[in-house]
Amino acid sequence: MNITRSILLKMSQNQWLKDHVPRWKFTRRAVRRFMPGETVEDALDAAAVFEREGIPAVFTRLGENSTQLEEAEEVREHYLDTAGKIAGRGLSTEISVKLTHLGLDLSVDAPFQYCKEIAAKANKLSGNDFFIDMEGSAYVQRTIDLYLRLKRELDNVGLCIQASLHRTEKDLDDLFEVDGSLRLVKGAYKEPPDVAIQSKRKVDEHCFVLSQKMLRRTKQHGTRMIYATHDDKLIGRIIEEAKKIKLPNDQVEFQMLYGIKTGLQSQLVRDGYKVRVLIAYGESWYPWYMRRLAERPANVLFVLRNAVFRG
Ligand SMILES: Cc1cc2nc3c(=O)[nH]c(=O)nc-3n(C[C@H](O)[C@H](O)[C@H](O)COP(=O)(O)OP(=O)(O)OC[C@H]3O[C@@H](n4cnc5c(N)ncnc54)[C@H](O)[C@@H]3O)c2cc1C
């Protein structure tokens, strides 16, 4: 793993930095590149603009590892309220949650119940899908188990899987058994070699191999499969593969983060592909933001420019 990436991922877990960095003016300014604002209203306004351009949104409120159930309950209330606001504005915005934000460190039943309520409300009010993010490897099995339990009760639930993990190919085969929507990402967490592929080139290749399987799944069963990446080369290979198996463009879906590769997002829409933009909001942006810097260490220069030139 690239040394800068490794340092940034380590910094993302540092408690002192977590407490202090969000107070610094220049980092608050720099983070605006990746999020329209801290409130859900900021996110709703941005989502309305994107949706008019043919790019619906996915919302995630930043935060993870709730340490008290009251905290997790507040997150549940927030998402239930947000599902109402999304419906109120007639948006097809989907919600994607982190299970540790909903209390997975404290209980398995509480986040299960909360997800069930949020997904059911999103379905009832707008018919929108609901997604579960994938966090660090220590949570993968519990996340898959909870997802499978939810799938037995609700149809509109999808799950994120990470190409960097050795286990994912087997997980994908198992997940195909339940025929749910899946979102493939490379993986944003620092993981040891026995758990995850360390070479970026090999992760990219593994991501393509998994994409091939997912494209075939859509072709055979019409299942919604999502490729969440900004990697032009990988996107090009996925498109080429989809054409090879004669999968119509509107059955291939890409997702990207707010503020990244916006030109590519619009081009894909013009070419007839489905595109969604993930809009993150909330005050607890520090670990998430550090993972974004780690994905492209050149972003650190952007932060420093904000510090040096704008005080
Ligand atoms: C919709 C969505 C949902 C996600 N959900 C999860 C999740 O649940 N769990 C999880 O572990 N990870 C998640 N991720 C993050 C993901 O795992 C990757 O860390 C991230 O997408 C970067 O990988 P990449 O595929 O874009 O490829 P990379 O090879 O990292 O990047 C390809 C190119 O994209 C551009 N780029 C990528 N990231 C940035 C950035 N931060 N700033 C500026 N340019 C950038 C650069 O030009 C780079 O060269 C999600 C990503 C997206 C888009």
Side-chain angles (χ1 to χ4, degrees), residues 120-139:
K121 185 164 180 184
N123 192 28
K124 184 167 167 231
L125 296 184
S126 337
N128 290 339
D129 280 353
F130 164 88
F131 272 79
I132 301 178
D133 286 357
M134 191 58 84
E135 300 178 65
S137 60
Y139 298 106

Side-chain angles (χ1 to χ4, degrees), residues 5 33-34 58 96-98 132-136 159-164 183-189 200 204 207 226-234 254-261 276-279 288-289 291-297 299:
R5 175 158 196 257
R33 180 180 173 191
F34 295 113
V58 180
S96 192
V97 301
K98 285 197 173 17
I132 301 178
D133 286 357
M134 191 58 84
E135 300 178 65
L159 178 71
C160 179
I161 54 169
Q162 299 160 327
S164 57
R183 177 217 295 154
L184 177 67
V185 299
K186 288 186 187 170
Y189 297 84
K200 175 157 171 21
D204 293 355
C207 204
I226 299 160
Y227 311 93
T229 180
H230 316 88
D231 181 341
D232 322 46
K233 200 168 147 214
L234 177 63
F254 296 102
Q255 291 189 0
M256 296 188 207
L257 301 178
Y258 172 91
I260 302 180
K261 299 267 173 102
R276 274 186 186 263
V277 62
L278 188 140
I279 299 180
W288 177 86
Y289 180 57
R291 291 197 291 271
R292 301 291 80 81
L293 294 186
E295 281 154 11
R296 191 161 180 263
N299 288 337

Side-chain angles (χ1 to χ4, degrees), residues 23 51 53 58 72 93 96 178 186 188 212 222 231-232 259 291 305:
R23 296 187 204 154
E51 188 150 333
E53 290 167 12
V58 180
T93 300
S96 192
V178 296
K186 288 186 187 170
Q212 283 178 305
D231 181 341
D232 322 46
R291 291 197 291 271
R305 266 203 307 272

Side-chain angles (χ1 to χ4, degrees), residues 22-264:
R23 296 187 204 154
W24 301 340
K25 232 176 169 178
F26 75 92
T27 47
R28 292 177 75 86
R29 230 176 7 235
V31 83
R32 289 300 290 262
R33 180 180 173 191
F34 295 113
M35 49 192 279
E38 290 188 354
T39 70
V40 71
E41 276 70 28
D42 295 326
L44 286 161
D45 290 345
V49 174
F50 274 99
E51 188 150 333
R52 278 199 292 277
E53 290 167 12
I55 306 181
V58 180
F59 276 8
T60 197
R61 182 188 179 198
L62 297 171
E64 47 205 50
N65 299 104
S66 292
T67 52
Q68 315 218 348
L69 267 185
E70 296 75 51
E71 225 181 298
E73 272 164 27
E74 188 275 325
V75 178
R76 160 196 175 266
E77 289 297 326
H78 169 84
Y79 277 126
L80 285 172
D81 189 48
T82 300
K85 287 181 173 157
I86 290 170
R89 297 197 38 170
L91 295 168
S92 37
T93 300
E94 294 172 349
I95 289 172
S96 192
V97 301
K98 285 197 173 17
L99 291 183
T100 66
H101 204 196
L102 285 165
L104 189 63
D105 287 326
L106 311 160
S107 152
V108 173
D109 289 335
F112 169 74
Q113 191 54 37
Y114 299 163
C115 285
K116 197 169 128 182
E117 289 169 7
I118 302 162
K121 185 164 180 184
N123 192 28
K124 184 167 167 231
L125 296 184
S126 337
N128 290 339
D129 280 353
F130 164 88
F131 272 79
I132 301 178
D133 286 357
M134 191 58 84
E135 300 178 65
S137 60
Y139 298 106
V140 173
Q141 192 56 51
R142 273 177 286 170
T143 302
I144 292 178
D145 292 345
L146 192 147
Y147 164 77
L148 293 175
R149 206 174 144 198
L150 268 180
K151 271 299 283 180
R152 287 198 284 275
E153 303 202 25
L154 293 165
D155 254 349
N156 66 321
V157 192
L159 178 71
C160 179
I161 54 169
Q162 299 160 327
S164 57
L165 302 187
H166 299 304
R167 60 175 286 166
T168 300
E169 196 153 2
K170 163 85 173 59
D171 287 340
L172 187 60
D173 290 337
D174 295 345
L175 288 164
F176 279 167
E177 300 290 315
V178 296
D179 201 33
S181 305
L182 296 174
R183 177 217 295 154
L184 177 67
V185 299
K186 288 186 187 170
Y189 297 84
K190 182 170 162 54
E191 304 286 1
D194 58 321
V195 170
I197 305 166
Q198 305 293 305
S199 138
K200 175 157 171 21
R201 192 184 52 77
K202 288 187 181 156
V203 172
D204 293 355
E205 193 50 39
H206 194 219
C207 204
F208 179 63
V209 170
L210 299 172
S211 305
Q212 283 178 305
K213 284 190 162 202
M214 291 167 67
L215 289 164
R216 275 170 180 68
R217 182 76 192 173
T218 306
K219 176 78 182 171
Q220 286 159 6
H221 300 270
T223 318
R224 182 178 175 202
M225 294 283 148
I226 299 160
Y227 311 93
T229 180
H230 316 88
D231 181 341
D232 322 46
K233 200 168 147 214
L234 177 63
I235 290 172
R237 291 179 82 189
I238 291 171
I239 287 176
E240 202 179 299
E241 188 66 19
K243 289 199 186 310
K244 204 156 86 190
I245 62 167
K246 300 195 166 38
L247 190 61
N249 293 8
D250 65 1
Q251 287 189 39
V252 183
E253 177 171 345
F254 296 102
Q255 291 189 0
M256 296 188 207
L257 301 178
Y258 172 91
I260 302 180
K261 299 267 173 102
T262 46
L264 178 59

